[in-house]
Amino acid sequence: MKRGFIPVRRTRLLTCAVVVLSTIVLTAPVASAHYRSVDSVDGGEIRYGDETQWDDSRSWAVSEWNSLSGGVNVAPDDAWNIEDLAFGDYSANDGLCGFYDTNSGADDIKLNNSNYNGYSQGQRRACTLHELGHAHRLAHTFNDQAMDDCPVCTTYYTSPQDHDRSDYHGIW
Amino acid sequence: MIALSRRGLVTGAILATVAVGAAVAILTSQTSLGSPRTVYIETSYGFDVSDKRQLAGYSEDVFLGRVVETIGSEDSHTQYSVEVLEPIKGRLQGTVTVSQLGYVDGAETHVTEDQPLLVPGQEYVLATNPDVAHDGWHTLVAGPTAAATTNETNRGEVVSEYRRAVRNQFYPPGQPPKEDE
């Protein structure tokens, strides 16, 4: 053996490499560009409380995400389940159609009355669909998707588009 | 058996440690382990808030101000006392209350990714609208351009940029009329 060199078993070297690579790979989905790190899903379900006046858009968004087979079941909260998500409203001229916030208790979807009052039915459905997508851990993606960061800016989508669906099925 | 140089072994060990440490840092920053953490509020915009002309068209007031102090928190928003240094659009003057989406809840800071919480003592160009629910408050418009930090070095340039935006302002296409306060 040459001076300055250390003999190492191949198996030991390979084991170390596998451990390092596995650690990196396992954390990758958490930091992925199209996914958030948290969601409102609990045991394969999102149980929601309803305090929004925008019932049509809420029920539309729920049915659209539920139509994606094999995934999360979104259903109203009841006495036998813990509320995972609360639909509610607020009013502000802040430039938003809505927002989604995670909490230690039920997470929040807040729909902005200041915009919703002036939106068409399709725009309301698009924004609420988008917010509920965040509750499924989906982050903002491309301009031609429901999860675009400006869901009602120009073109809007009232159903999950191709990339929305593939991102959804990537985790559920 | 493979013969590895000592230098190569040490280098490899350091790189592996850094890689694993970075991975663990990513994971722990997004889970609650008892230490302070940031929770991102996902905001969905009604118009292209990155366009300062649209921002100016949508905002009733655009001004250079200095945050004096945090004065309250309500419904996912934090209120600040802000000294108006120079109006750019509108006629605000004196000290006003600005309400921003985002808040601190114990060890968690809930904040939008595009707009960090205002910092007492810091100067900003702020774009606001009268608050629809609270008389005398001003709602900070969401997005990356509605709270632009300024300092002695860049203040003139940033203010000029927003003056230009105000001169060329237009109401965002597709954005419903603002709700009356």
Side-chain angles (χ1 to χ4, degrees):
Chain A
M1 186 68 57
K2 273 174 98 170
R3 281 188 66 176
F5 280 76
I6 300 171
V8 178
R9 290 185 187 279
R10 279 181 218 271
T11 52
R12 196 165 289 175
L13 192 60
L14 281 172
T15 303
C16 288
V18 166
V19 167
V20 169
L21 285 172
S22 299
T23 307
I24 295 167
V25 166
L26 285 173
T27 59
V30 176
S32 166
H34 292 176
Y35 299 114
R36 309 185 70 247
S37 56
V38 291
D39 53 62
S40 300
V41 180
D42 183 13
E45 291 192 320
I46 297 177
R47 290 284 179 165
Y48 67 85
D50 177 21
E51 292 189 14
T52 177
Q53 63 177 303
W54 308 106
D55 289 331
D56 170 80
S57 70
R58 188 254 312 136
S59 61
W60 176 270
V62 168
S63 70
E64 283 296 308
W65 287 113
N66 277 346
S67 73
L68 301 185
S69 60
V72 176
N73 175 43
V74 185
D77 184 31
D78 58 33
W80 293 273
N81 290 283
I82 296 172
E83 183 178 297
D84 304 308
L85 178 69
F87 282 92
D89 304 330
Y90 77 110
S91 297
N93 291 321
D94 59 5
L96 299 176
C97 71
F99 65 85
Y100 168 76
D101 188 19
T102 50
N103 299 298
S104 52
D107 300 329
D108 283 314
I109 284 178
K110 294 286 193 183
L111 306 176
N112 191 355
N113 296 321
S114 301
N115 273 20
Y116 270 57
N117 281 325
Y119 280 160
S120 66
Q121 181 188 59
Q123 287 175 308
R124 291 182 201 132
R125 288 178 172 184
C127 185
T128 309
L129 176 81
H130 177 101
E131 299 308 333
L132 192 52
H134 287 317
H136 286 83
R137 210 194 300 171
L138 302 184
H140 292 148
T141 58
F142 308 112
N143 287 349
D144 59 351
Q145 302 296 307
M147 297 309 297
D148 172 18
D149 73 349
C150 206
V152 293
C153 278
T154 46
T155 310
Y156 56 86
Y157 300 95
T158 56
S159 299
Q161 302 299 293
D162 286 347
H163 204 89
D164 301 318
R165 288 196 294 272
S166 65
D167 280 349
Y168 177 96
H169 288 302
I171 43 175
W172 304 116
Chain B
M1 292 284 233
I2 298 173
L4 293 181
S5 71
R6 282 185 211 277
R7 183 181 297 175
L9 204 56
V10 169
T11 304
I14 291 171
L15 288 174
T17 304
V18 168
V20 171
V24 170
I26 290 170
L27 185 61
T28 57
S29 71
Q30 296 164 344
T31 59
S32 176
L33 292 178
S35 56
R37 71 176 191 131
T38 300
V39 175
Y40 288 109
I41 300 172
E42 293 285 353
T43 46
S44 303
Y45 300 114
F47 67 94
D48 182 3
V49 294
S50 67
D51 183 343
K52 293 187 183 74
R53 300 167 303 166
Q54 294 190 48
L55 174 74
Y58 179 73
S59 306
E60 181 153 321
D61 296 284
V62 180
F63 62 96
L64 176 68
R66 181 181 297 115
V67 179
V68 177
E69 59 179 342
T70 305
I71 56 177
S73 180
E74 185 178 304
D75 292 336
S76 306
H77 291 71
T78 301
Q79 290 76 56
Y80 304 88
S81 167
V82 178
E83 179 189 2
V84 179
L85 301 175
E86 182 182 337
I88 298 171
K89 177 183 179 184
R91 295 181 181 179
L92 285 184
Q93 53 184 341
T95 302
V96 298
T97 298
V98 173
S99 184
Q100 179 191 31
L101 177 61
Y103 58 101
V104 176
D105 179 16
E108 289 185 347
T109 298
H110 293 243
V111 64
T112 69
E113 280 191 88
D114 291 340
Q115 191 183 90
L117 290 181
L118 299 181
V119 175
Q122 175 65 54
E123 267 183 26
Y124 301 86
V125 170
L126 299 171
T128 65
N129 280 307
D131 195 289
V132 299
H134 301 85
D135 245 355
W137 288 14
H138 300 268
T139 299
L140 183 59
V141 178
T145 58
T149 55
T150 63
N151 52 47
E152 278 183 16
T153 309
N154 72 0
R155 184 187 299 134
E157 182 185 335
V158 174
V159 169
S160 294
E161 193 181 341
Y162 280 82
R163 287 201 182 286
R164 205 160 39 244
V166 169
R167 279 199 301 274
N168 297 299
Q169 66 180 293
F170 58 92
Y171 197 79
Q175 169 64 37
K178 289 182 289 187
E179 183 173 342
D180 291 336
E181 61 272 18

